Amino acid sequence: MITKNKILPTLMFSFLLSQGAFSATTDSSYILVTPDCLINKFDAPYQTLSHNKNFSLIKLNVENFTKLIGVRNSQKTLCGGFINVTDAYNSSHFSNENSALFLEKYIPKTSISKKQFNYGINHTKEVNQLLALLNPDEMWKNLTKLSSYTDRYANSDTGLGAARWIKSQVEQIAKDNGRTDVTTSIINTGTSYKQPSVVVKIGNSTKPAVVVGAHMDTLSSFWGNMPGADDDGTGSVTVLELARVLLSSSMHFQKPIYLIWYSAEEEGLVGSQYVVAEFKKDNIPVEEVIHFDMTGYTPNNDKTMWLLSDNTDKELTSYLELLINTYIKKPLKYTKCGYACSDHATWTNNGYKAAIAFEAEDGKYNPYIHTSQDTMSQLSLEHMTDFTKLAIAFTGELADPVS
Ligand code: BES
Ligand code: ZN
């Protein structure tokens, strides 16, 4: 009998090859950081370069990489995804960094803080002005569009189309509001993926920036439509609505605000690694990063907002608590992912202060993600809107509005 696990990855492999996903890497190896719970379920050959705590740095060929994607995608409950660190590892090898040291950088750390808590509430008037501009209907309309793509897979034409649509939406908003201080750009996801990340800079300042992001990609629709309404359509429309609110206000900020829609998060945080590398290369200083990934599902209609306490900065995460208590007044609690579950971890791993707010506690989040049932009918607009309020409060306070 052919088991599901053996045939699916093979079909997937042919499909991905036909999409050109591996055009640049067909004869090279993949280097991944994988949690033990995932690799223990994997019976194809791979080489372990290093092991530390519950994580391994592994090397495998493209065919077995595709098999691993199959294993990850067929998990009923997520135990942990892999980070695709191929490019970072290959470039670190030029400097002779050993594998153990390399892996160490990717081991999840509980919240760390380098300095004392020194964030406050300083711009109540401006934040309330911005909050008054928030329109949840716009979020719902944008989510309807984003979840109508067959998929937003990082290597499909529809994934590329979704990135172009997001970029053109922001360009239209900037035009409608006569803004000349908005720069829209893309950062390519290496050479193996069609979908780039989309980056918008608001303001002309070169001071340390505030970054707000979400990932726009979904898994491939090879097995059926991938609407990705919650994962991460919700975060993506939060960032879009933040763009509309900021650009339609006449408020200006002392610090630049970067809005980012990452590509290829689902492929192992690939897009955000290229984004962070580009920020470093261009010497763009970044002070704080907030990330939104899944904000719409409310188990038992519970509107608690959850903050992740691993792979995040403790001080910044405590500040989110203060912002929620001040401006949103909803219950909040802490939970953990247990692994590098989204793009905030890429910033954290590179030494930046990053935080993430999330829809539910571990184990109670949207059970339909990564399936064709990740649709808007499962989602609460009120819950999503609370996270957009948080995005507005975060930028309104931290980017120093000019009054
Ligand atoms: N939106 C999820 C992250 C997530 C899922 C956070 C469940 C918390 C609970 C994200 O898109 C995702 O699927 N992440 C992957 C890991 C990634 C590195 C490929 C995962 O969780 O398996
Ligand atoms: Zn996902």
Side-chain angles (χ1 to χ4, degrees), residues 85-96:
V85 292
T86 312
D87 289 347
Y89 183 80
N90 288 338
S91 46
S92 83
H93 245 54
F94 289 119
S95 60
N96 281 328

Side-chain angles (χ1 to χ4, degrees), residues 215 231 265-266 369-370:
H215 75 87
D231 183 12
E265 186 271 352
E266 301 286 8
I369 63 164
H370 303 164

Side-chain angles (χ1 to χ4, degrees), residues 67-99:
K67 287 183 183 165
L68 186 65
I69 294 179
V71 173
R72 195 207 79 166
N73 294 353
S74 59
Q75 288 180 113
K76 281 279 165 279
T77 52
L78 298 176
C79 84
F82 55 80
I83 313 179
N84 182 345
V85 292
T86 312
D87 289 347
Y89 183 80
N90 288 338
S91 46
S92 83
H93 245 54
F94 289 119
S95 60
N96 281 328
E97 187 178 30
N98 72 37
S99 299

Side-chain angles (χ1 to χ4, degrees), residues 15 58 85 102 117 212 281 297 317 348 366:
F15 166 74
I58 66 162
V85 292
F102 181 86
F117 190 83
V212 184
K281 181 171 78 60
Y297 185 75
T317 304
T348 302
N366 193 330

Side-chain angles (χ1 to χ4, degrees), residues 4 26 31 51 56 76 80 83 85 113 134 203 210 220 242 269 291 298 300 315 343 398:
K4 195 178 164 213
T26 315
I31 313 287
H51 186 266
S56 300
K76 281 279 165 279
I83 313 179
V85 292
S113 190
L134 169 56
V210 174
S220 157
L242 176 66
L269 312 183
H291 189 61
T298 52
N300 305 316
E315 184 192 19
D343 301 304
L398 293 179

